[in-house]
Amino acid sequence: MIDRRLAILAMALMLVGCGSPRPETLQGEVCKSIATAGRSPYPWPDIYQSVIDAQVQLAPVPPGGVPPAAAPAPPPAATPRNEAFRNKVAAQADARQQAPAPPPTVAPRPAAPPAPPPTRILSVSAGGAWGAFSVGFLEGWGENSAEPRPKFDVVTGVSTGSMVAPVIFLGDAKRMAKLREMYSNLGNKDVFTSRGTLALLTATSLYDNAPLRRKVEEILDEEMVEAIAAENATRTLAVMATNLDSGVPEVFDLTAIAARKDMTMAQKRQRMVAAIMASAALPMGFPPEFIDNNLYVDVAFACMSSSRASCRRPCKGDGSTSPSWSAAT
């Protein structure tokens, strides 16, 4: 009886400790901001002041100095796929800038020349089953008459976002509703089947994602491939996956694949489905995709690898966007 009481008392003390506020000296920038402003800091700082203060308080360098740190690994070399994607997006953006403005419906008043049209870009992120949120948000945005969803010039997706990107790229309401229905009723059995605990001894993954491939094939039918191909000259749809052989994230331009003249419709669909599946192939969980004699997996693998590569998309000096990858510090 005494032991039970002691156990209950110990648990109560633990709960009180967990519920107590963290001492101010141990609070970071986020914790302090939530306490004072009721929200996390915005914009989110790249480096917190507390991190800088901690660096200042480090022990001084010994008289003999310390061995020089190894130079950070240079960013991976650009691949032909990535270069082609960058050049295409830049060329399409230039064409938009130079396109003549539509004729006015009434006599124009003397005014400054109109600003060139912007390049509208949508990047659909990862998140597994949370892709349902992206679908619902984008569909609802399309129904907003006050601030209608624009027709994006460039749409990209990674992981589960790669399955959403083709549908939002075309903006077809019926396909959007079909995608929402799929996500609303998606269960484990619709995504994968387990191979068993010892699967990695004989297979490339713990799970077989054949059910998910069938779902992607249902969405990406021949009519959709033709519609995507028709946009290739002026717009771009792309997904990204990591090349396991090189460790470099690579861009798959789905609009360019859909418009290829040297492939049959079946081959184009197979290549596009493979690129989408590669973008969502979490290593060890799902099998990698074999494309052009290389193995590809979820692009998040590049950010979780030992090189700690982070996927960033800065803008070039000319204003166009270009994916680049650099080692995280």
Side-chain angles (χ1 to χ4, degrees), residues 77-87 250-251:
T79 66
R81 274 199 185 90
N82 295 350
E83 280 300 308
F85 170 76
R86 294 169 183 169
N87 294 337
E250 294 187 14
V251 177

Side-chain angles (χ1 to χ4, degrees), residues 2-242:
I2 295 177
D3 293 342
R4 182 177 298 178
R5 290 178 179 175
L6 289 175
I8 293 174
L9 179 61
M11 292 178 63
L13 291 174
M14 289 175 63
L15 290 174
V16 171
C18 292
S20 300
R22 180 179 296 181
E24 187 173 353
T25 55
L26 299 179
Q27 292 180 9
E29 302 299 321
V30 176
C31 193
K32 291 178 182 177
S33 176
I34 292 176
T36 57
R39 58 171 175 77
S40 60
Y42 182 84
W44 196 278
D46 289 334
I47 301 179
Y48 298 126
Q49 184 62 42
S50 57
V51 176
I52 299 175
D53 295 340
Q55 293 290 331
V56 174
Q57 297 171 7
L58 291 176
V61 177
V66 294
T79 66
R81 274 199 185 90
N82 295 350
E83 280 300 308
F85 170 76
R86 294 169 183 169
N87 294 337
K88 177 185 175 184
V89 171
Q92 290 178 344
D94 290 342
R96 275 183 220 100
Q97 298 283 325
Q98 298 169 9
T105 54
V106 296
R109 295 179 179 178
T119 294
R120 295 179 174 85
I121 302 174
L122 174 68
S123 181
V124 191
S125 63
W130 290 102
F133 173 82
S134 298
V135 174
F137 173 83
L138 292 169
E139 184 181 32
W141 189 6
E143 297 171 356
N144 185 352
S145 57
E147 296 183 12
R149 186 183 68 216
K151 183 177 182 180
F152 295 101
D153 303 301
V154 181
V155 178
T156 66
V158 294
S159 197
T160 192
S162 66
M163 303 177 206
V164 180
V167 178
I168 194 66
F169 177 74
L170 295 178
D172 182 77
K174 291 183 179 179
R175 293 186 182 278
M176 203 71 197
K178 183 178 179 180
L179 185 68
R180 174 174 52 81
E181 182 181 359
M182 185 196 81
Y183 269 98
S184 300
N185 300 289
L186 204 64
N188 288 347
K189 62 180 178 60
D190 302 309
V191 178
F192 60 82
T193 56
S194 176
R195 300 184 193 270
T197 307
L198 302 178
L200 290 180
L201 296 177
T202 57
T204 58
S205 63
L206 290 170
Y207 303 98
D208 179 5
N209 58 353
L212 181 61
R213 181 182 294 273
R214 288 193 290 270
K215 293 287 185 183
V216 174
E217 289 173 343
E218 289 176 8
I219 296 172
L220 195 68
D221 54 25
E222 293 186 4
E223 182 182 352
M224 188 175 191
V225 173
E226 291 175 351
I228 292 173
E231 302 288 339
N232 182 51
T234 56
R235 301 171 66 216
T236 299
L237 167 67
V239 300
M240 184 181 286
T242 298

Side-chain angles (χ1 to χ4, degrees), residues 248-299:
V248 177
E250 294 187 14
V251 177
F252 288 87
D253 185 344
L254 300 187
T255 34
I257 296 173
R260 287 184 62 168
K261 303 297 185 182
D262 59 338
M263 282 185 169
T264 65
M265 174 58 72
Q267 290 173 329
K268 289 188 285 190
R269 280 190 67 210
Q270 182 182 15
R271 175 63 62 88
M272 294 170 73
V273 169
I276 293 172
M277 295 298 294
S279 183
L282 189 65
M284 293 183 65
F286 293 158
E289 287 291 322
F290 193 67
I291 304 173
D292 291 339
N293 297 320
N294 290 290
L295 294 175
Y296 290 88
V297 293
D298 193 317
V299 73

